[in-house]
Amino acid sequence: MSPSPVALIAEPGAVGDVTRSDAALRRFLHGLPGVDQVGADARAAALSTRSIKTTAKAFAIDLAISMIDLTTLEGSDTPGKVRSLCAKARRPDPHDPSVPMTAAVCVYNDLVGLAKDALGDSGVKVAAVATAFPSGRASLAVKLADTRDAVVQGADEIDMVIDRGAFLSGRYLEIFEEIAAVKQVCQEDGATAHLKVILETGELQTYDSVRRASWLAMLAGADFIKTSTGKISPAATLPVTLVMLEACRDWFDATGHRIGMKPAGGIRTTKDAMKFLVLVNETVGTEWLTPDLFRIGASSLLNDLLLQRQKMATGRYSGPDYVTVD
Amino acid sequence: MPTPFEYAPAPESRAVVTIASSYGLFIDGEFTDGTGGSLKSINPATEEVLSEIAIASDADVDRAVKAARRAYTRVWSKTSGAERAKYLFRIARLVQERSRELAVLETLDNGKPIKESRDVDIPLVAAHFFYYAGWADKLEHAGFGSNPRPLGVAAQVIPWNFPLLMLAWKIAPALATGNTVVLKPAETTPLTALLFADICRQAELPPGVVNIITGAGDTGRALVEHPDVNKVAFTGSTEVGKAIARSVAGTDKRLTLELGGKAANIVFDDAPVDQTVEGIVAGIFFNQGHVCCAGSRLLVQESIADELVGRLKNRLGTLRLGDPMDKNTDIGAINSLEQLERIRHLAGVGDDEGAERWTADCELPAKGYWFAPTVFTGVTQAHRIAREEIFGPVLSVLTFRTPSEAIEKANNSPYGLSAGIWTDKGSRILKMASSMRAGVVWANTFNRFDPASPFGGYKESGYGREGGRHGLAAYLHVD
């Protein structure tokens, strides 16, 4: 049997081989099996009809809360806004200490120090967007400085963007090297920041490109692959997440190493969140159902999860005034 | 180690449908007693008796055909196309309004998962009636000359795998073209047809235009052999189809047959692999494999066979088999003990022939009729499991080396109902599709149905087409 590119990567030294030149990397990425858009959409739609009720729903709500990267990425962000976001992340429902903390808060890098102080030793991580987020249009030197700035301030996680312009013009090795360089900064001077690589799938558009970009990021050392910045529509769709999860699964099959996945942007309701968890459960399996390997980048989602959680506890719906606005 | 995400039971309520303890025959707009005894319809997932069903005797069949003839002569043949369309639109709307009831009843009687009856069967039933309602007043423009005329009384016998959907495939075009019908549902799945009789009454369809009679093989034989029917339409096994063809020979009855299949699902090495795996699952495990056009022969290019089969097995491990009423069930019950025994027998033949059996690791419920998704590898054209229709969740995997070998193997079957082609190369799709001796060819998908698309077979898979504009021809004098 002639092994597929996916199987090839399992061989020792294979990563170095496929990334030794632009041509080799292109051959590898374009040799990946294609994605049929109609079929991928149909599979995601079929999984979204799963009916998650009672105990399964209660379990999934708490799991989803614990996976949220509670995010604010606005020009109008202030220390006050970030402090209240951090308070919310530590204690999502002030009346109910049994609600789990969110996984992280996600901010621009000038607010990392402030978020670190506000979160203290709570266990909630601080994620910073870097590399000229959201467009990625800056020189490598600027991107690395941007990343270093966040790491030095103590960011636990870096959410970088890839250069979509380079991707769409076929300069894959440039992206590979950029991700690898950012990863190196994440580990400079004993730092251990995790690297999430944002593909901005809304700009890549085709699922073939999404699959190739996922592999490119994993080859270059991403700890997580992430759909979107949240600044481009469409952001995290179910089929895109499916295609990326399949890439995570294939990478694991080939290397034995689990890469995390983060859909971000447009996930607003409990129902949406359930669909993503089902997708994870039935594509990569239970092993990925932990904040270490699956995150949801969101802001308004948390309040809907809290409302649904209250509903399950009391049997009736409360309302928007029974959850905190930030 | 994360906690498994267990889906809590999510059962659909059966309270939405009322099942009578017994049913008579729907003749001339009324439910009347049968004189041929009775049979029981059971829920194959629980073996619970759902209802007692009248068996139509020869005299009852005669009564039904007479009612249909009367309705044809006095009413339906004089009803304008626009007026016939009105009834069909009404029926389509009523099917939609009562879709939940119909879906639950179908699942109880047939054993198929509620998500399939809810999301596939019943929506397609409504779509079929809407589609043919649209043709009823446009027959002069359908390409069959300026004066296409109905045939008269149609005798229709349908199978148990898609009970209400097969009813729609039969009744919608027949009524649109101005024929009246006597329809016999399968003996194991008569309940949705009997509920449909109620929908006909609700739609105020003139009495006798649709007659539903129940019973087993003898009733079906009496119906198709009745001298006063003009048209016989049958969907079911090739064996019965041949018997019907013999009985109709020498009469002026028109005949369409939609029979068995052993479809090749052909996978090339450049196929979109994840969607192909989904398509293979949809091809053979949809509706427990009780699908005449099921992709029961997987023909995979040898160079990717191991990898593809490995991925397929992983995927099959995630299928949820069990209570068909649970909204999260993917694989329901086998429709009858008789069918279960046939599947077991043929799977046993596969073992004896030396093919390698693999079965998904899933627990089968204690009661009811169940068969776990099964894959045979190392199958060749010479194996019976590559040639005979199993009509169950059993896939035979064969390999090929070149496109011409794939074509040769795909066509090397007494059947020719459907085929599937998986490749990223558009030109290869076109070449392969035109080389298939099969009535339906799917490219990068499988088991997709649409009322606008004609459906039917080559060779022992039958003749005539149902669905689409072509489906009208089976019910018209087109000279």
Side-chain angles (χ1 to χ4, degrees):
Chain A
M1 166 184 168
S2 71
S4 71
V6 176
L8 264 177
I9 212 74
E11 288 168 21
V15 173
D17 280 351
V18 303
T19 58
R20 74 174 180 276
S21 69
D22 225 346
L25 186 54
R26 158 175 291 271
R27 258 199 311 280
F28 174 79
L29 294 175
H30 286 258
L32 291 167
V35 186
D36 183 78
Q37 186 179 336
V38 175
D41 288 347
R43 172 66 176 151
L47 280 175
S48 72
T49 69
R50 290 290 192 218
S51 180
I52 304 303
K53 301 288 183 206
T54 61
T55 51
K57 187 172 177 182
F59 172 80
I61 286 174
D62 279 9
L63 186 61
I65 292 172
S66 75
M67 289 171 161
I68 289 181
D69 282 4
L70 198 60
T71 302
T72 185
L73 295 169
E74 302 298 332
S76 56
D77 285 345
T78 59
K81 166 76 184 171
V82 170
R83 262 186 230 108
S84 60
L85 195 75
C86 291
K88 177 110 175 171
R90 295 176 73 150
R91 185 77 179 262
D93 185 341
H95 302 293
D96 188 349
S98 71
V99 177
M101 296 182 302
T102 69
V105 297
C106 182
V107 294
Y108 273 112
N109 73 5
D110 60 323
L111 294 161
V112 166
L114 194 127
K116 279 302 281 183
D117 290 344
L119 290 167
D121 58 1
S122 63
V124 178
K125 305 270 198 292
V126 174
V129 294
T131 69
F133 181 94
S135 68
R137 301 250 64 83
S139 69
L140 179 60
V142 170
K143 290 178 184 178
L144 295 181
D146 192 15
T147 308
R148 194 168 290 121
D149 204 22
V151 172
V152 167
Q153 288 187 73
D156 303 291
E157 300 170 355
I158 297 295
D159 289 27
M160 72 169 286
V161 292
I162 64 164
D163 181 343
R164 283 85 73 190
F167 185 91
L168 293 170
S169 60
R171 287 175 281 134
Y172 300 136
L173 196 61
E174 193 178 312
I175 301 170
F176 173 85
E177 284 167 352
E178 198 164 280
I179 296 170
V182 173
K183 169 92 175 182
Q184 215 165 17
V185 172
C186 290
Q187 297 171 338
E188 254 173 24
D189 301 326
T192 55
H194 276 227
L195 180 62
K196 305 195 196 101
V197 177
I198 303 172
L199 311 182
E200 196 64 303
T201 54
E203 290 185 340
L204 303 184
Q205 296 205 353
T206 70
Y207 297 160
D208 284 329
S209 289
V210 170
R211 172 167 286 182
R212 287 173 193 149
S214 300
W215 275 85
L216 182 54
M218 294 187 297
L219 286 165
D223 297 302
F224 264 75
I225 50 177
K226 175 176 169 185
T227 58
S228 326
T229 59
K231 306 294 183 194
I232 294 286
S233 184
T237 66
L238 283 168
V240 153
T241 305
L242 172 69
V243 170
M244 292 172 71
L245 285 168
E246 285 166 351
C248 293
R249 178 201 61 201
D250 291 347
W251 178 265
F252 173 73
D253 286 347
T255 67
H257 182 59
R258 291 192 176 88
I259 303 287
M261 169 67 202
K262 178 178 171 186
I267 305 168
R268 296 193 179 88
T269 65
T270 302
K271 216 169 185 167
D272 289 341
M274 303 287 111
K275 290 177 184 176
F276 280 89
L277 293 180
V278 164
L279 207 59
V280 174
N281 195 36
E282 300 201 30
T283 307
V284 283
T286 288
E287 299 292 336
W288 261 263
L289 285 174
T290 146
D292 293 339
L293 287 169
F294 192 73
R295 295 284 179 84
I296 301 170
S299 41
S300 59
L301 170 66
L302 179 55
N303 273 350
D304 195 62
L305 287 164
L306 294 174
L307 283 172
Q308 287 292 332
R309 201 177 187 279
Q310 290 173 3
K311 156 72 168 51
M312 295 206 76
T314 63
R316 57 203 157 68
Y317 284 102
S318 50
D321 289 343
Y322 294 84
V323 288
T324 58
V325 289
D326 59 18
Chain B
M1 172 79 192
T3 325
F5 184 12
E6 305 278 7
Y7 303 160
E12 177 61 85
S13 164
R14 65 177 287 176
V16 296
V17 66
T18 312
I19 305 176
S21 59
S22 67
Y23 286 94
L25 310 170
F26 184 71
I27 296 175
D28 216 9
E30 297 292 335
F31 274 103
T32 64
D33 291 337
T35 58
S38 69
L39 54 84
K40 292 181 170 63
S41 193
I42 67 161
N43 177 345
T46 61
E47 300 177 47
E48 164 207 6
V49 174
L50 294 171
S51 187
E52 200 151 318
I53 309 297
I55 295 177
S57 65
D58 290 4
D60 298 326
V61 170
D62 186 53
R63 199 153 52 87
V65 173
K66 283 204 167 87
R69 173 61 60 194
R70 213 162 36 239
Y72 176 73
T73 316
R74 295 184 189 167
V75 184
W76 203 241
S77 61
K78 296 175 183 157
T79 304
S80 71
E83 195 69 9
R84 295 197 304 271
K86 189 183 81 184
Y87 289 108
L88 289 168
F89 278 123
R90 241 186 232 169
I91 289 170
R93 290 287 299 273
L94 285 165
V95 167
Q96 288 184 319
E97 280 169 24
R98 300 180 71 173
S99 59
R100 195 146 167 237
E101 201 181 338
L102 288 163
V104 167
L105 189 60
E106 196 76 301
T107 286
L108 289 172
D109 203 20
N110 172 279
K112 67 174 67 199
I114 187 73
K115 79 167 191 196
E116 287 179 11
S117 47
R118 178 195 68 195
D119 297 343
V120 181
D121 291 56
I122 308 303
L124 277 172
V125 169
H128 238 83
F129 278 102
F130 277 120
Y131 177 82
Y132 279 108
W135 271 120
D137 62 350
K138 303 172 192 71
L139 298 174
E140 297 83 354
H141 313 288
F144 305 118
S146 60
N147 184 28
R149 299 175 316 282
L151 301 174
V153 174
Q156 306 178 320
V157 177
I158 58 171
W160 46 261
N161 57 342
F162 295 94
L164 193 66
L165 182 56
M166 291 301 104
L167 173 148
W169 282 28
K170 295 282 181 287
I171 291 184
L175 262 48
T177 47
N179 300 274
T180 59
V181 307
V182 181
L183 176 132
K184 188 194 89 67
E187 68 262 36
T188 60
T189 56
L191 295 183
T192 45
L194 294 164
L195 184 57
F196 181 80
D198 190 48
I199 287 175
C200 291
R201 283 208 294 208
Q202 218 181 333
E204 295 174 359
L205 190 70
V209 173
V210 168
N211 304 277
I212 311 265
I213 58 170
T214 45
D218 289 341
T219 305
R221 187 176 311 117
L223 177 57
V224 302
E225 290 181 0
H226 193 288
D228 199 33
V229 306
N230 306 97
K231 155 82 190 179
V232 173
F234 172 76
T235 298
S237 71
T238 293
E239 190 190 340
V240 175
K242 286 178 177 172
I244 291 175
R246 279 192 290 271
S247 81
V248 167
T251 73
D252 62 359
K253 291 174 192 172
R254 292 267 296 270
L255 177 62
T256 45
L257 296 171
E258 199 266 90
L259 309 174
K262 192 75 190 177
N265 205 0
I266 306 167
V267 181
F268 288 95
D269 62 0
D270 65 343
V273 66
D274 289 301
Q275 291 71 49
T276 303
V277 168
E278 289 310 312
I280 295 166
V281 173
I284 184 63
F285 300 112
F286 171 61
N287 202 32
Q288 296 71 246
H290 301 330
V291 185
C292 42
C293 53
S296 50
R297 274 190 298 153
L298 178 65
L299 277 173
V300 53
Q301 195 155 2
E302 201 169 323
S303 58
I304 57 158
D306 291 348
E307 187 185 332
L308 185 76
V309 171
R311 284 169 180 265
L312 176 65
K313 288 176 180 173
N314 286 340
R315 172 68 177 91
L316 296 180
T318 69
L319 288 175
R320 304 169 63 88
L321 178 146
D323 180 7
M325 289 289 276
D326 192 304
K327 292 171 196 161
N328 292 326
T329 292
D330 299 317
I331 305 282
I334 301 300
N335 180 251
S336 66
L337 184 59
E338 189 190 346
Q339 186 58 26
L340 178 61
E341 277 167 358
R342 180 176 162 75
I343 297 166
R344 282 178 178 156
H345 168 71
L346 278 166
V349 168
D351 292 331
D352 296 343
E353 288 175 322
E356 194 181 325
R357 185 203 289 233
W358 178 91
T359 298
D361 180 24
C362 55
E363 206 175 310
L364 302 184
K367 279 205 115 172
Y369 314 132
W370 306 92
F371 198 89
T374 295
V375 176
F376 277 102
T377 47
V379 181
T380 72
Q381 291 289 110
H383 284 113
R384 273 179 71 193
I385 53 168
R387 309 200 67 77
E388 294 180 28
E389 184 176 40
I390 298 174
F391 221 63
V394 181
L395 177 69
S396 298
V397 182
L398 297 88
T399 59
F400 67 88
R401 294 162 297 176
T402 61
S404 57
E405 187 182 357
I407 293 168
E408 203 176 9
K409 283 185 167 173
N411 287 334
N412 178 220
S413 163
Y415 295 112
L417 192 50
S418 68
I421 300 160
W422 297 85
T423 171
D424 247 10
K425 196 171 219 166
S427 57
R428 185 180 285 150
I429 290 173
L430 298 175
K431 167 75 168 67
M432 290 297 296
S434 59
S435 308
M436 290 293 108
R437 279 185 283 146
V440 182
V441 181
W442 284 292
N444 292 338
T445 188
F446 210 96
N447 274 343
R448 289 278 290 257
F449 305 98
D450 190 287
S453 170
F455 184 93
Y458 277 50
K459 302 185 274 185
E460 288 197 24
S461 290
Y463 43 78
R465 291 292 178 266
E466 293 182 303
R469 188 184 65 84
H470 305 70
L472 296 166
Y475 290 93
L476 289 171
H477 285 296
V478 294
D479 45 8

